[in-house]
């Protein structure tokens, strides 16, 4: 492990090296893994030199990865220092989920309107498997990661049904920011029951071919989640006011 300004950076998991990834993709995956899964928290400062030492690569690919994560809203540049993990602002978190809910709501409507009967049956089966507790790890951290990956898969399936593959590039930024905010707000605790209910509602609407309901249910639960996340973050910022 190497110390980087005010944090200790862990060694990279061996899985990151599989397939001989390009160095800037390696650095990006390493940092994003720490941001979404744990290891880098709001306000933590890191330097490209320290990340390069951990990965045994030059500064250039690390700098490129930092720029990408800055554009995605997870890091911010500190001139003459390096970069810092963003500190979420509760009011901005609500705005993010309003936009997230609107865009995913449109995708859910398109999916409901465009899916075939065979698509609907496949989607229903896959989403039922993703919602099942079967195969979930017992440990909170591993369980959180598994649930995050399952949720990503659910939305990828939704975008596939919408016949809107280009939208995934746009959506991934929202998914990453949401995963980061959820980790910061909840730690590794399970999400509130209304999230699971929201998933079930929009999946049922898509299967039924009800575009209006699919859009409404998707938008509704994401906006509600954003408000809940913002409230938890506000309590962290001002613990004495709660």
């Amino acid at each position: 492990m190497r110390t980087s300004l005010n944090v200790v950076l862990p060694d990279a998991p061996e899985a990151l090296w599989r397939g001989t990834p390009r160095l800037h993709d390696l650095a990006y995956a390493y940092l994003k893994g720490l941001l979404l899964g744990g290891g880098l928290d709001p306000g933590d400062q890191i330097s490209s030199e320290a990340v390069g030492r951990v990965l045994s690569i030059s500064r250039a690919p690390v700098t490129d990865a930092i720029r990408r994560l800055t554009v995605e809203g997870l890091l911010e540049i500190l001139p003459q220092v390096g970069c810092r993990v963003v500190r979420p602002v509760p009011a901005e978190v609500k705005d993010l989920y309003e936009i997230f809910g609107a865009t995913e709501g449109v995708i859910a409507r398109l999916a409901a309107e465009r899916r075939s009967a065979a698509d609907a049956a496949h989607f229903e089966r896959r989403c039922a498997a993703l919602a099942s507790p079967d195969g979930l790890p017992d440990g909170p951290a591993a369980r959180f990661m598994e649930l995050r990956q399952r949720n990503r898969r659910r939305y990828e399936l939704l975008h596939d049904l919408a016949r809107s593959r280009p939208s995934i590039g746009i959506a991934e930024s929202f998914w990453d920011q949401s995963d980061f905010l959820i980790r910061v707000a909840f730690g590794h605790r399970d999400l509130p029951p209304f999230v699971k209910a929201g998933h079930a509602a929009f999946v049922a609407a898509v299967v039924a071919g009800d575009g209006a309901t699919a859009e409404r249910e998707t938008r509704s639960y994401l906006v509600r989640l954003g408000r809940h996340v913002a409230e938890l973050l506000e309590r962290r910022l001002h613990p004495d006011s709660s």
Side-chain angles (χ1 to χ4, degrees), residues 34-90:
L34 294 177
L35 288 162
L36 303 188
L40 286 174
D41 295 312
D44 283 349
Q45 297 179 19
I46 59 175
S47 69
S48 55
E49 294 91 340
V51 176
R53 285 196 297 271
V54 171
L55 299 175
S56 300
I57 61 177
S58 68
R59 287 181 55 189
V62 179
T63 300
D64 179 73
I66 288 172
R67 287 199 193 100
R68 290 168 65 184
L69 291 165
T70 299
V71 171
E72 292 172 12
L74 297 173
L75 297 176
E76 56 185 350
I77 301 297
L78 298 175
Q80 311 303 319
V81 176
C83 69
R84 177 173 61 197
V85 181
V86 296
R87 293 188 174 102
V89 177

Side-chain angles (χ1 to χ4, degrees), residues 181-203:
L181 291 167
I182 286 170
R183 181 182 70 79
V184 171
F186 287 91
H188 291 139
R189 302 190 307 275
D190 287 350
L191 298 184
F194 73 78
V195 174
K196 186 174 183 179
H199 290 162
F202 85 69
V203 168

Side-chain angles (χ1 to χ4, degrees), residues 4-242:
S4 175
L5 300 184
N6 69 329
V7 297
V8 175
L9 293 173
D11 295 329
E14 290 187 12
L16 283 182
W17 300 94
R18 292 175 188 160
T20 316
R22 294 179 297 180
L23 295 183
H24 63 274
D25 288 335
L26 173 70
Y28 175 79
Y30 172 73
L31 288 172
K32 191 158 82 167
L34 294 177
L35 288 162
L36 303 188
L40 286 174
D41 295 312
D44 283 349
Q45 297 179 19
I46 59 175
S47 69
S48 55
E49 294 91 340
V51 176
R53 285 196 297 271
V54 171
L55 299 175
S56 300
I57 61 177
S58 68
R59 287 181 55 189
V62 179
T63 300
D64 179 73
I66 288 172
R67 287 199 193 100
R68 290 168 65 184
L69 291 165
T70 299
V71 171
E72 292 172 12
L74 297 173
L75 297 176
E76 56 185 350
I77 301 297
L78 298 175
Q80 311 303 319
V81 176
C83 69
R84 177 173 61 197
V85 181
V86 296
R87 293 188 174 102
V89 177
E92 294 177 359
V93 168
K94 291 181 183 178
D95 290 348
L96 173 73
Y97 277 91
E98 286 275 2
I99 300 168
F100 186 21
T103 56
E104 288 300 318
V106 170
I107 292 299
R109 173 172 57 79
L110 294 177
E113 293 171 350
R114 295 175 178 177
R115 97 289 182 273
S116 66
D119 289 336
H122 176 75
F123 182 68
E124 186 174 31
R125 286 194 303 271
R126 293 298 305 276
C127 287
L130 292 170
S132 170
D134 294 345
L136 286 177
D138 293 328
R143 179 185 176 89
F144 174 84
M145 292 295 290
E146 174 64 20
L147 287 171
R148 178 172 71 83
Q149 291 168 3
R150 289 188 185 193
N151 196 46
R152 287 290 182 102
R153 187 59 190 139
R154 181 183 294 109
Y155 277 103
E156 288 169 357
L157 290 168
L158 184 71
H159 281 244
D160 286 344
L161 282 191
R163 310 290 192 268
S164 185
R165 293 294 299 176
S167 69
I168 291 183
I170 299 170
E172 281 182 346
S173 177
F174 284 118
W175 298 341
D176 287 345
Q177 290 185 72
S178 179
D179 286 344
F180 171 72
L181 291 167
I182 286 170
R183 181 182 70 79
V184 171
F186 287 91
H188 291 139
R189 302 190 307 275
D190 287 350
L191 298 184
F194 73 78
V195 174
K196 186 174 183 179
H199 290 162
F202 85 69
V203 168
V206 170
V207 171
D210 185 346
T213 299
E215 181 172 9
R216 183 179 65 251
E217 293 291 349
T218 302
R219 181 170 186 169
S220 175
Y221 102 82
L222 283 171
V223 170
R224 184 178 177 186
L225 175 60
R227 291 173 181 167
H228 192 62
V229 168
E231 289 173 5
L232 294 177
L233 294 173
E234 186 68 38
R235 290 177 200 167
R236 288 190 54 174
L237 289 171
H238 307 289
D240 296 333
S241 63
S242 58

